[in-house]
Amino acid sequence: MKYFFRPQLLLLFLFIYLSSCAGNSKTDSASEVARWKEQAARVTLLRDDFGVPHIYGKTDADAVFGLLYAQCEDDFNRVERNYLWATGRLAEVEGEEQLYSDLRARLYMTEAEAKAEYERSPAWLKQLCQAFADGINYYLHTHPEVKPKLLTRFEPWMPMYFSEGSIGGDIESVSTKGIKAFYEQDRSMGFHKQGHGMQQPGLLEEPKGSNGFAISGKRTASGNAMLLINPHTSFFFRGEVHAVSEEGLNAYGAVTWGQFFIYQGFNEKTGWMHTSAYADVIDEFEETIVKEDGKLFYRYGEELRPVETQEVTLAYKDGDALKKKTFTTYRTHHGPITHQNGDKWVATALMWKPVEALIQSYTRTKKSNLKEFNEMMEMRTNSSNATVYADANGNIAYYHGNFFPKRDTSFDYSKPVDGSNPKTDWNGLHTLDETIRLVNPPNGWIQNCNSTPFTAAAEYSPKKEDYPVYMAPSPENFRGVHAIRLLEKAENLTLDKLIELAYDPYLPGFEVLIPGLVKAYDAQKPIDPKLKAAIEVMRNWDYAVSKESVAMSLAHFYATNLLRDGSAPKGHIMERFDYYANTAPAAERLEIFSKTIAELEQDFGKWNTPWGEINRFQRLTGDIKQPFNDAAPSIPVGMASGNWGALASYGANRYDTKRLYGTSGNSFVAVVEFGDKLKAKTILAGGQSGDPKSPHFNDQAQRYADVKFKDVAYYREDVEKRAKARYKPGQKQSK
C-alpha cells in the first residue's frame, strides 16, 4: 500500500499534540492545587481575640504551610517586600534608587546559588521550604483580589536568602554607597571617620537592638525562671504567631514577615531572646589588584590568584518602563568586592552559610533544655545576634554572639586588613566554649541591652581580659546602666512586676546631662531671668519620662540639639553627655537650651508643653513607609528614646510634622514564666494586621501606650476559649 503525505493530517496531528501539551499543563496546575488543598485540610487556623494566629498541623511542614498562609492574610505586602529585598529585585518595584541594594544581595548569592543551596539541604528542610512556598502560593491562589507588586509565585529556594533571623542581619552593614561608587562610578569611597567602609548608624538614630533579661528562680515569687523578650525594631516589622505540630513543634513569639520559624519566642520548655551583640564578625580585606594580559589577579602571599568575575543583570523601574543594567562583579576568596579605598579593592567577608543557618534557626524552636540548646548553638551560624535564654528547669544563660572567626590578634580587624597577607585570613571558627557565655550566675539575673557583656551579670560577668577584643568591642550604654540598677534590687518578681521593671520610666542619661545645664545657669552672671522658669523645671525633675512631664519635652529637644549642633568631640553618647555636663562652655549649654525653649514655643505655642502632647503613636495606613499627619487622630505616649537610657525604647521623629511620631523601638514585647505550666504576656505595637479595615489593625495601640499587656493563649484549651475564628487555609474565617 502506498502512503501519500497530506498537509491537512500534519496540521491535525500538530493540533492534537499542542492540545495535549496544554492539557498536561492544566493537569499539572490542577495537581498542584489539589496538593495544596490536601495539605490545607491537615491544618487548622484559630484566631484569638487579638487576631493572633494559632496554627495547628499534623506535621511541621503542615504547620509551616499554615504559618505562611496566615502571615499573608495579615500582611502580604511585607512578606513580599522582604523577599524582593532579599533576592535582589527591589528596584523592579521601587526604582533605580534600590539598584545597589539589589546588587549587594546578588554579590553574596545569585539565584543559581540559592537553588544549589536548597538542593543540598536535608530532606526534612526541603519539605519545610516547599511548605513555605506552597503556603504563600495557595494564599495567592485563593485570594485573586490580592495583586502582588512583582512576586506572583514563591519558590522553595527563596528562604536560603533569609535564613539567619533578622532580615538584613549582617549584609545591611555593607554600604550601598560604596558599591555604587565602585561598580558604577569606578571611584574610591575611602573610609569614614571610624576607619572602615561599613554602614554606621547616625548618632541621633534610635538604637536598633533589643533588651533581654533572664531571671532565675532566686529572684521570682514562684521560684521559676523568667524571660523578657524586648526587641527594638521598626514598628510592624514582625507579627505575633503560634505554630504547633504533632511532631513536637509548639513555638510562640515573633516572626519576621516571610520566615517560617519563630525568631524570638518560647516553647513550653525554653525561651530565646536575640539582642544585637555588635561583635566584630564582618571583616574588610584590602586586595592588591594586578592586571596581566587583560586579566585581573590579586596578590596573596607570593602568588597571584585570578579574580573571579561574573555578569549580573538587574532590572529597575523607570517610570512605566523596566530598564536593565549589567554589572561585572568581582570576588576573591575573602568575599565579593564591595568598594574601593584608594587603589585597593576591598572584599567584605561575612558569615554566609544559608542551609546551616536555616537549620539552626528552625531547630532552635524545638529544644527542650539547656543541653539541647547548647548542641544547637554549636552550629555557630547565628552571626548578628547575642542570645538570652531561660528554661523550665530553672536555667538562665547568655551567649554573646555565636559566629566568631579566629583571627591573628596582632592585626586590628576593626579596620580593613591587608588581604595580600595570608596571616590576616580567618582560621576557622571559635568553638562555643571559646566564646563569651554565662550560665546560671549566682546573682540570679542576666541582662543585655546591646551593651558590653562584661556587665551582663554584675560581678559575675565574663572578664574582658579573657577574650579577644573583637568578641566584644561594644561599650556600655545608658540602657545597660539602667537595667543593672533595677535588676540588682529585683526580688519576688511576677510577670506584672517584670513588665513594670522593663518599662521603668527613669532616664539615666539625663541624670548626667541636666545637672550640668543647671550648674551652667547658676554660675552665670548676671542671671538670665528668661530661663528661670524652665531651669527650675529641670532642677526639680526626677529624670522620669511621662506623658505629663514638661521636663521631658525640654530634655529631649535639648539633648537632640546638643548632639546635632554642639561642640563635643567624636565619641558615643555617654562620652558626649559627660562632655556637655562637665566640659562644654557654660555659654554653649545655655545658648542651646535657649534655642530649645524657642523651638518649643514656635512649634507648640508654649515652652512648657507636656511630653504626651508632642510624643505620639499614629497608624493611618498599612504602608511600609507610613504617612503622619498632625491633624489626624493619634495617641499620647509616655515613653522615650533608648539613647537616653529608656529600657522601653520609643524612637520618634518629625515627618513634615510638628509632633514626633514613633516608628521604632518596642514593637513585639513578651514576658514569660516557665514552670510546670508556662505563663506569658505580650504586647504588639498597633496590632496584628496590616489591613486598615481589619479590627486588629490598631486594636493594641492604646494598650501599647498604656503598657497593658495581653495574656498569651498557649495551651489548646485556652486558645479554644478565646478563639474568634476557626478555619482551614483557603476557607473564610468563621467562628
Side-chain angles (χ1 to χ4, degrees):
M1 182 181 290
K2 292 183 178 179
Y3 293 89
F4 297 92
F5 175 75
R6 295 184 180 179
Q8 296 91 335
L9 285 176
L10 177 61
L11 291 174
L12 177 61
F13 291 146
L14 183 61
F15 175 78
I16 293 171
Y17 173 78
L18 292 174
S19 298
S20 174
C21 291
N24 287 340
S25 176
K26 290 177 182 177
T27 301
D28 290 343
S29 177
S31 172
E32 186 172 52
V33 172
R35 178 166 57 81
W36 293 341
K37 288 182 177 179
E38 182 181 347
Q39 188 159 31
R42 300 194 297 269
V43 178
T44 299
L45 279 164
L46 298 177
R47 295 267 183 181
D48 66 25
D49 42 343
F50 288 94
V52 175
H54 302 258
I55 302 103
Y56 296 88
K58 186 172 181 61
T59 65
D60 281 10
D62 295 338
V64 165
F65 178 95
L67 174 59
L68 269 298
Y69 182 94
Q71 286 186 53
C72 291
E73 287 185 302
D74 287 334
D75 209 326
F76 175 77
N77 186 30
R78 282 179 166 80
V79 171
E80 182 186 21
R81 192 185 190 279
N82 279 351
Y83 281 94
L84 289 172
W85 177 89
T87 60
R89 299 190 66 185
L90 199 54
E92 294 177 53
V93 172
E94 298 185 6
E96 191 172 8
E97 66 273 13
Q98 298 292 353
L99 194 60
Y100 295 93
S101 172
D102 289 351
L103 182 56
R104 178 177 61 188
R106 302 292 182 90
L107 286 174
Y108 284 94
M109 190 157 69
T110 64
E111 183 177 314
E113 289 168 334
K115 290 176 178 176
E117 290 291 311
Y118 169 74
E119 289 300 331
R120 78 174 184 86
S121 300
W124 67 266
L125 184 59
K126 283 185 178 179
Q127 290 176 356
L128 299 187
C129 290
Q130 186 64 59
F132 148 88
D134 288 346
I136 301 176
N137 291 331
Y138 189 50
Y139 169 81
L140 291 174
H141 174 76
T142 55
H143 292 75
E145 74 281 3
V146 174
K147 305 299 180 187
K149 292 181 173 63
L150 181 66
L151 299 178
T152 57
R153 183 176 178 85
F154 285 71
E155 301 293 345
W157 45 264
M158 287 181 173
M160 296 298 140
Y161 283 95
F162 189 10
S163 58
E164 199 263 322
S166 280
I167 183 169
D170 298 329
I171 196 172
E172 277 196 323
S173 298
V174 179
S175 170
T176 54
K177 291 181 180 179
I179 291 173
K180 181 176 182 179
F182 178 78
Y183 282 102
E184 180 174 295
Q185 299 157 345
D186 192 23
R187 65 183 178 88
S188 167
M189 280 288 288
F191 295 126
H192 48 56
K193 60 187 178 183
Q194 281 79 19
H196 55 78
M198 306 300 289
Q199 297 268 46
Q200 288 293 110
L203 185 64
L204 286 167
E205 186 177 325
E206 187 63 20
K208 289 182 174 66
S210 307
N211 301 333
F213 299 167
I215 316 292
S216 82
K218 295 178 181 180
R219 300 270 182 167
T220 67
S222 65
N224 296 320
M226 290 184 177
L227 183 67
L228 168 71
I229 298 172
N230 185 194
H232 295 162
T233 67
S234 56
F235 291 168
F236 327 124
F237 182 61
R238 295 193 177 107
E240 184 173 344
V241 300
H242 182 199
V244 186
S245 84
E246 294 177 19
E247 293 183 331
L249 177 67
N250 193 350
Y252 192 110
V255 60
T256 310
W257 299 109
Q259 286 179 332
F260 63 76
F261 53 87
I262 281 72
Y263 178 58
Q264 289 164 319
F266 51 90
N267 58 42
E268 189 175 25
K269 299 298 183 182
T270 66
W272 56 95
M273 166 60 205
H274 299 304
T275 64
S276 297
Y278 297 120
D280 182 6
V281 296
I282 304 174
D283 286 329
E284 296 174 298
F285 294 86
E286 291 187 317
E287 309 287 21
T288 301
I289 303 299
V290 177
K291 193 170 186 179
E292 290 187 356
D293 299 326
K295 296 181 179 180
L296 293 173
F297 300 86
Y298 66 101
R299 193 170 299 284
Y300 185 69
E302 298 300 318
E303 60 180 307
L304 288 179
R305 292 186 173 185
V307 175
E308 296 178 35
T309 63
Q310 189 171 25
E311 296 290 302
V312 173
T313 299
L314 299 174
Y316 63 94
K317 185 179 179 182
D318 185 7
D320 294 330
L322 195 65
K323 296 184 177 179
K324 292 186 177 181
K325 187 173 285 192
T326 298
F327 302 89
T328 301
T329 63
Y330 306 98
R331 172 183 288 272
T332 72
H333 75 283
H334 294 122
I337 302 299
T338 58
H339 55 289
Q340 185 173 349
N341 180 35
D343 62 350
K344 302 290 187 181
W345 290 12
V346 183
T348 302
L350 49 79
M351 192 285 293
W352 200 264
K353 297 181 178 180
V355 174
E356 292 79 4
L358 198 53
I359 290 172
Q360 183 169 357
S361 292
Y362 186 79
T363 58
R364 177 170 54 230
T365 67
K366 297 181 72 172
K367 299 307 175 186
S368 298
N369 53 54
L370 183 60
K371 180 177 181 293
E372 291 180 4
F373 202 85
N374 279 330
E375 290 169 352
M376 173 273 300
M377 292 294 280
E378 285 283 7
M379 295 188 70
R380 293 168 289 165
T381 60
N382 188 17
S383 61
S384 64
N385 297 307
T387 303
V388 184
Y389 168 92
D391 68 29
N393 294 325
N395 296 301
I396 61 174
Y398 175 68
Y399 307 79
H400 191 76
N402 185 234
F403 168 89
F404 285 104
K406 289 183 179 179
R407 293 114 154 178
D408 184 333
T409 55
S410 65
F411 299 98
D412 180 4
Y413 286 88
S414 69
K415 297 178 171 58
V417 293
D418 180 6
S420 69
N421 185 347
K423 291 182 179 180
T424 65
D425 269 10
W426 290 355
N427 187 25
L429 296 180
H430 285 281
T431 64
L432 189 65
D433 287 342
E434 292 172 340
T435 62
I436 302 174
R437 287 192 301 163
L438 262 172
V439 179
N440 295 327
N443 59 314
W445 56 262
I446 296 170
Q447 64 82 27
N448 182 260
C449 300
N450 314 125
S451 48
T452 173
F454 306 125
T455 59
E459 67 270 28
Y460 301 104
S461 303
K463 306 305 178 190
K464 187 174 184 178
E465 59 271 18
D466 293 340
Y467 301 95
V469 67
Y470 53 73
M471 281 192 181
S474 295
E476 188 61 281
N477 62 33
F478 285 126
R479 281 185 290 130
V481 170
H482 193 180
I484 292 165
R485 289 180 184 176
L486 294 170
L487 289 167
E488 284 179 332
K489 297 183 291 185
E491 298 290 347
N492 297 313
L493 287 174
T494 62
L495 288 181
D496 288 336
K497 287 182 179 179
L498 182 54
I499 293 169
E500 184 179 345
L501 186 151
Y503 281 77
D504 185 85
Y506 192 77
L507 303 175
F510 290 131
E511 83 175 14
V512 173
L513 185 67
I514 299 306
L517 170 64
V518 174
K519 183 178 179 180
Y521 174 81
D522 289 343
Q524 69 172 337
K525 294 180 181 179
I527 293 290
D528 184 350
K530 291 188 295 184
L531 298 182
K532 180 175 173 53
I535 287 291
E536 290 308 309
V537 168
M538 306 311 288
R539 190 193 305 275
N540 295 313
W541 187 31
D542 61 359
Y543 310 124
V545 61
S546 71
K547 289 179 284 190
E548 298 75 26
S549 176
V550 169
M552 181 66 228
S553 302
L554 288 163
H556 175 87
F557 288 107
Y558 173 58
T560 300
N561 290 333
L562 276 173
L563 292 172
R564 185 180 58 223
D565 303 328
S567 62
K570 67 179 182 180
H572 58 78
I573 284 181
M574 292 186 78
E575 293 172 336
R576 293 185 187 225
F577 270 29
D578 183 73
Y579 170 84
Y580 289 123
N582 301 302
T583 307
E588 178 185 15
R589 303 179 215 178
L590 294 174
E591 179 185 359
I592 289 182
F593 189 62
S594 295
K595 288 180 179 178
T596 298
I597 291 172
E599 179 183 353
L600 286 164
E601 289 175 335
Q602 179 178 338
D603 289 340
F604 302 103
K606 57 182 182 179
W607 64 265
N608 53 343
T609 301
W611 181 235
E613 289 294 313
I614 298 169
N615 196 51
R616 313 289 287 192
F617 180 93
Q618 187 178 75
R619 193 182 194 191
L620 301 176
T621 72
D623 296 348
I624 291 172
K625 189 175 182 180
Q626 54 187 331
F628 296 99
N629 187 340
D630 283 338
S634 61
I635 296 171
V637 175
M639 294 158 61
S641 170
N643 282 322
W644 320 144
L647 292 175
S649 165
Y650 193 77
N653 284 290
R654 289 186 169 115
Y655 298 89
D656 295 322
T657 57
K658 294 188 183 300
R659 285 173 156 172
L660 304 176
Y661 293 97
T663 57
S664 66
N666 275 27
S667 45
F668 168 82
V669 187
V671 289
V672 188
E673 181 179 344
F674 297 94
D676 293 336
K677 192 170 184 179
L678 181 138
K679 299 176 184 176
K681 295 188 175 190
T682 62
I683 195 70
L684 191 66
Q688 179 69 21
S689 175
D691 181 0
K693 297 188 293 293
S694 168
H696 304 300
F697 176 70
N698 228 18
D699 60 337
Q700 295 184 61
Q702 190 61 60
R703 298 177 74 100
Y704 176 87
D706 295 340
V707 194
K708 187 178 179 182
F709 279 48
K710 61 188 186 293
D711 292 323
V712 164
Y714 180 79
Y715 295 99
R716 183 67 181 256
E717 60 268 26
D718 297 321
V719 175
E720 294 281 357
K721 290 175 186 176
R722 288 174 51 183
K724 299 298 182 184
R726 176 194 304 272
Y727 58 103
K728 302 284 186 182
Q731 298 176 350
K732 290 185 178 180
Q733 298 186 23
S734 60
K735 183 71 172 88

